[in-house]
Amino acid sequence: MTSIELLADALAAHRAGDRDQAAELAAQAGRAGSSLAAELRTYLAGDGSAPVYDQPSAFTAFIRGGGNVALYRALSAALASRYDAAKPESLLDLGCGDGLAVVPALEQASHLPPRIDLVEPSAALLEGVHERVPSAQCWQSTAQDFLARDDLGWDFVQSTFALQSIEPEQRGEVLRALQRRTGTLVLAEFDVPEFAEGSPEHLRSLVERYERGVAEYGDDARLVAQGFLLPVLLGIVDGQQRTNWEHPAAGWVEQLKTAGFTEVGVEPLADYWWSPAVLITAC
């Protein structure tokens, strides 16, 4: 068996609750030369209980390395272009992280919105954003809790690879709240392939893509894999401590239209190891 087949079987074993079998299959795949396999075996040897964002150093290394460098360069440039074209008076970024997308976009744009709201549930990621955008109001909150208040509206709302972290049912409520209070909504998301979850095709695709992802990080591969990539991967596989619910671009379009947005468009943003990144505009 190839390392990809062995790792797909390891994920299937993990999904079935057989951690020992998953570790053994990962060990076999490691002997076949898989970097992902070595990281998976190490991860399974621990307790695997820490939430993803409890290790901000791992997320920071992930988001500021590998293919994310080119991805976020393209994303910030695209957002800056949108600010200059639309000249919004108010801007909301839901799930701004540490400002990796929005800060360079504001620095590149000729137009600076007079009112900027930045929302991020992680205090560790939000810290420091206000220093870089002193005119912004920073809110440590989930999108759901922040939008529960009904006294604010925005000309331009963006969310970059963040709404995928909200379960689909709750996300529908977020999108409906945004539709009532937003001029233009721009989402950056991944146009992921569609498989039946847990199917052999799905698990093999996950292995192939994650193998590419781990390989991009060189000396930081262990930190990124152990502190971020593997918790996300295994959350997708077994549904426990899951942090991401992604869809093909067509699925995002459908959700936005269901929420009441009438004009929705999709355009390519950048190639990426996980899946092609796209910009989705709704109004």
Side-chain angles (χ1 to χ4, degrees):
M1 297 178 71
T2 66
S3 62
I4 290 175
E5 292 169 332
L6 287 165
L7 275 173
D9 286 348
L11 294 184
H14 181 79
R15 182 178 174 87
D18 192 340
R19 194 181 183 97
D20 290 340
Q21 177 67 4
E24 172 55 31
L25 289 165
Q28 293 179 38
R31 289 193 288 273
S34 166
S35 298
L36 174 61
E39 297 300 339
L40 177 58
R41 185 184 184 194
T42 297
Y43 186 84
L44 291 173
D47 62 17
S49 62
V52 171
Y53 295 104
D54 273 12
Q55 297 191 55
S57 60
F59 180 74
T60 298
F62 165 72
I63 206 71
R64 295 185 180 279
N68 283 306
V69 175
L71 173 62
Y72 275 83
R73 186 183 299 122
L75 174 55
S76 294
L79 292 172
S81 177
R82 300 295 184 93
Y83 304 158
D84 288 342
K87 294 181 169 52
E89 292 296 300
S90 52
L91 166 68
L92 167 66
D93 188 332
L94 277 178
C96 67
D98 66 356
L100 185 59
V102 67
V103 172
L106 291 168
E107 292 172 346
Q108 293 172 40
S110 300
H111 175 79
L112 186 68
R115 178 163 66 86
I116 301 172
D117 291 309
L118 304 178
V119 177
E120 168 58 44
S122 169
L125 295 178
L126 190 61
E127 185 179 0
V129 175
H130 194 227
E131 295 179 5
R132 301 169 69 195
V133 191
S135 62
Q137 176 71 48
C138 294
W139 310 79
Q140 185 190 345
S141 175
T142 64
Q144 299 94 306
D145 289 344
F146 179 74
L147 293 172
R149 56 184 300 161
D150 58 5
D151 59 335
L152 293 174
W154 302 270
D155 298 326
F156 193 102
V157 176
Q158 65 189 49
S159 187
T160 56
F161 311 112
L163 293 190
Q164 60 181 257
S165 297
I166 302 176
E167 294 185 44
E169 287 188 10
Q170 296 181 40
R171 188 192 304 146
E173 304 242 348
V174 168
L175 293 176
R176 285 190 290 272
L178 287 173
Q179 192 277 329
R180 296 190 298 269
R181 295 149 63 184
T182 302
T184 299
L185 172 64
V186 174
L187 304 180
E189 289 292 349
F190 295 111
D191 187 12
V192 297
E194 190 167 25
F195 297 102
E197 287 202 358
S199 67
E201 295 79 12
H202 180 224
L203 299 179
R204 183 184 180 94
S205 176
L206 290 175
V207 168
E208 291 172 340
R209 288 181 283 154
Y210 264 78
E211 194 78 73
R212 292 196 296 270
V214 170
E216 290 189 353
Y217 284 90
D219 292 342
D220 286 331
R222 172 134 301 182
L223 172 65
V224 169
Q226 299 300 317
F228 184 74
L229 287 178
L230 284 173
V232 171
L233 172 61
L234 297 182
I236 293 171
V237 170
D238 64 20
Q240 299 177 26
Q241 296 188 348
R242 184 166 182 168
T243 59
N244 295 77
W245 291 263
E246 295 181 284
H247 309 279
W252 286 101
V253 171
E254 181 180 353
Q255 290 176 52
L256 288 161
K257 289 185 174 179
T258 298
F261 291 93
T262 55
E263 297 182 24
V264 184
V266 180
E267 60 187 89
L269 175 63
D271 289 329
Y272 190 69
W273 65 265
W274 175 237
S275 291
V278 295
L279 280 182
I280 306 169
T281 304
C283 53

